């Protein structure tokens, strides 16, 4: 490595990549923003980042490593503590007999190199890496799992010394703010937020404690051997959530707010008595989600236009359907966010209230005092609302009141648990709704699912399996089976899963005159046939396949959310016809 410091501006001038005027402009930008000169040049589009890094690599005689394609070994990376990795913008990439290979954003930082070498107690060799890639890698690799295990051991030892667990001390005494139980919970939340988890599961087993995180719809598990700490964790969480700490025989629900890494989260907590203790599940709800609208949830333009037309109607019923975890509530809140202004009164009935929205009156269902959906709805109708949102159509009484509210000049939004849009109508009739009432007020049904996005860092072409080809040919025709599809090979950024993030797949059915006539006559076979003939109707299977063709998701993900629905379609139509006849 050269001993003389390389000056980026002069190097680019010498190579005639930039002019003196451009360099002066970059220096002014650097002074104004406090950025490094290299970043200032990139921000002003005077040089491309890859071009600059390649030149620096050659000039400094150090290799450039693309972290997006480099396989990181967590045990090696963690040799350098996270604080120093972030402070020095450095990452340990490899260990060999000659020392350590360390990726650095600034290989010319002599003080940082000396500090890292002393910390590692070994010679180091430097490689150049992108700053954005390095910071992203730090977030993904420096997990809190080891820290959580350490605090679990400390907590177990502390509990072992005491004859009994001091609930008051765990919950209320400020002097024990540094107790292992507090540290452990802090680490659990920090790790979950860092990994983008939507839920945290704390589950007691016979001999171990399992901590699981749901990331992009899939659970990832950490096993803690110190099972006896579950009581301390559960007690502390119950105290924070404001629920009864002495009651262990029945399920309980609570909520609280936490701040992690300058982000505020509403935490919805649920406890459930199980064989070996109490299972605790916490849903993390980012408060920024309340700013969502229908554009931001990933709804295609063709469906978005029709959806906005429905919610702009002065009255009627819109149903959003899908299984648990399909994003129905997010879509409902997105619709409410667009409707929410000072000229309309919106009241919601929810169980539970997930997000608190300004200007909207939100009612929390409480079965313990007989505040049910039906009872709350009756009271709401006397509150002069314009728009009513019902968290779920659970029973015949709720359905009946919702239909009559829509009939008397209100716009009603709600959810239903069914497989697709067409079967939702049959479900309403099964719940005792009169077909003429449903036909009079139903404006549209939106069915949706969540599929995992392919990781953009490791996306690649893939070969379809024979089963996938058969399914695609049956759904969309043989020509679709000949197209090129993508998957993710797995990398550091997606935990080697090939997926990163989720996106909605939607199916919107709008009612026209022919559908209304078939529904009024309770002719569900004709209703189903006419719905499928509708020019604007595109079933979930085809909507998902559109995304797979574009390389957004994989065929296996689309098959997971819609394959059974498609293959059972003929059986469902037969069942629907027989039920209608009855």
């Amino acid at each position: 490595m050269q001993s003389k410091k390389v000056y980026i501006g002069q190097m680019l001038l010498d190579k005639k990549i930039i002019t003196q005027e451009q360099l002066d402009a970059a220096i002014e930008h650097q002074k104004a923003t406090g950025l490094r000169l290299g970043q200032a040049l990139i921000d002003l589009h005077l040089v491309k980042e890859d071009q600059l890094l390649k030149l620096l690599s050659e000039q400094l005689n150090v290799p450039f490593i693309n972290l997006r394609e480099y396989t990181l070994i967590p045990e090696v990376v963690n040799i350098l503590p996270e604080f120093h990795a972030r402070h020095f913008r450095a990452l340990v990439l490899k260990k060999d007999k000659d020392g350590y290979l360390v990726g650095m954003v600034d290989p010319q930082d002599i003080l940082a190199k000396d500090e890292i070498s002393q910390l590692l107690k070994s010679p180091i060799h430097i490689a150049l890496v992108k700053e954005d890639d390095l910071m992203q890698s730090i977030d993904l690799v420096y997990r809190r799992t080891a820290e959580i295990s350490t605090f679990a051991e400390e907590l177990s030892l502390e509990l072992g010394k005491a004859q009994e667990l001091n609930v008051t001390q765990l919950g209320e005494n400020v002097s024990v703010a540094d107790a292992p139980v507090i540290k452990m919970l802090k680490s659990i939340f920090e790790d979950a937020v860092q990994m983008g988890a939507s839920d945290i599961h704390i589950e007691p087993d016979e001999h171990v404690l399992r901590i699981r995180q749901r990331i992009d719809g899939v659970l990832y598990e950490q096993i803690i051997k110190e099972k006896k700490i579950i009581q301390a964790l559960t007690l502390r969480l119950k105290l924070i959530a404001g629920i009864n700490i002495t009651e262990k025989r029945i399920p309980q629900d609570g909520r609280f707010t936490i701040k992690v890494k300058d982000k505020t989260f509403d935490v919805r907590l649920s406890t459930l008595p199980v064989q070996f203790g109490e299972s605790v599940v916490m849903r993390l709800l980012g408060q920024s989600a309340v700013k969502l609208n229908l554009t931001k949830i990933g709804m295609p333009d063709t469906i978005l236009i029709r959806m906005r037309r429905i919610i702009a109607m002065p009255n009627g019923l819109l149903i959003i359907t899908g299984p648990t975890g399909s994003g129905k509530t997010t879509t409902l809140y997105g619709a409410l966010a667009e409707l929410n202004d000072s000229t309309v009164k919106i009241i919601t009935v929810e169980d539970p209230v997930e997000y608190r929205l300004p200007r909207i009156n939100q009612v929390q269902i409480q079965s313990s005092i007989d505040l049910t959906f039906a009872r709350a709805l009756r009271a709401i109708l006397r509150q002069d609302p314009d728009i009513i949102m019902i968290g779920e159509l659970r029973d015949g009484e709720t359905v009946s009141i919702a239909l009559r509210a829509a009939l008397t000049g209100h716009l009603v939004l709600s959810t239903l648990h069914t497989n697709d849009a067409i079967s939702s109508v049959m479900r309403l009739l099964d719940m005792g709704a009169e077909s003429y009432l449903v036909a009079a007020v139903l404006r549209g049904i939106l069915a949706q699912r969540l599929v995992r996005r392919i990781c953009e860092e490791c996306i690649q072409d893939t070969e379809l399996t024979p089963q996938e080809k058969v399914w695609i040919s049956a759904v969309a025709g043989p020509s679709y089976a000949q197209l090129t599809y993508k998957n993710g090979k797995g990398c550091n950024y997606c935990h080697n899963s090939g997926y990163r993030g989720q996106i909605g797949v939607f199916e919107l059915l709008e009612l026209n005159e022919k559908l209304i006539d078939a529904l009024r006559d309770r002719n569900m076979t004709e209703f189903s046939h006419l719905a499928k003939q509708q020019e604007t109707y595109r079933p979930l299977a085809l909507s998902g396949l559109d995304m797979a063709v574009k390389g957004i998701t994989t065929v296996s993900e689309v098959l997971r959310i819609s394959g059974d629905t498609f293959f059972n379609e003929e059986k469902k139509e037969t069942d629907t016809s027989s039920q209608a006849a009855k």
Side-chain angles (χ1 to χ4, degrees), residues 43 56 87 161 173 242 251 299 309 320 335 397 468:
D43 284 357
L56 274 174
H87 181 68
K161 295 174 185 176
N173 194 336
M299 192 175 284
R309 185 166 63 231
I320 300 174
E397 189 179 9
E468 289 172 342

Side-chain angles (χ1 to χ4, degrees), residues 9-19 22 51 55:
Q10 190 61 49
M11 177 186 73
L12 295 173
L13 283 176
D14 292 344
K15 294 185 177 292
K16 298 183 178 179
I17 294 173
I18 61 172
T19 64
Q22 289 174 326
Q51 180 187 21
L55 286 170

Side-chain angles (χ1 to χ4, degrees), residues 190-203:
E190 286 178 349
D191 189 55
V193 171
Q194 189 169 305
M195 301 307 292
S198 60
D199 300 83
I200 302 170
H201 296 235
I202 301 177
E203 304 169 344

Side-chain angles (χ1 to χ4, degrees), residues 48 71 161 166 188 256 379 385 478 482 490 541 552:
K48 292 183 179 178
T71 302
K161 295 174 185 176
N166 189 332
I188 288 171
F256 57 92
Q482 306 304 316
I552 297 171

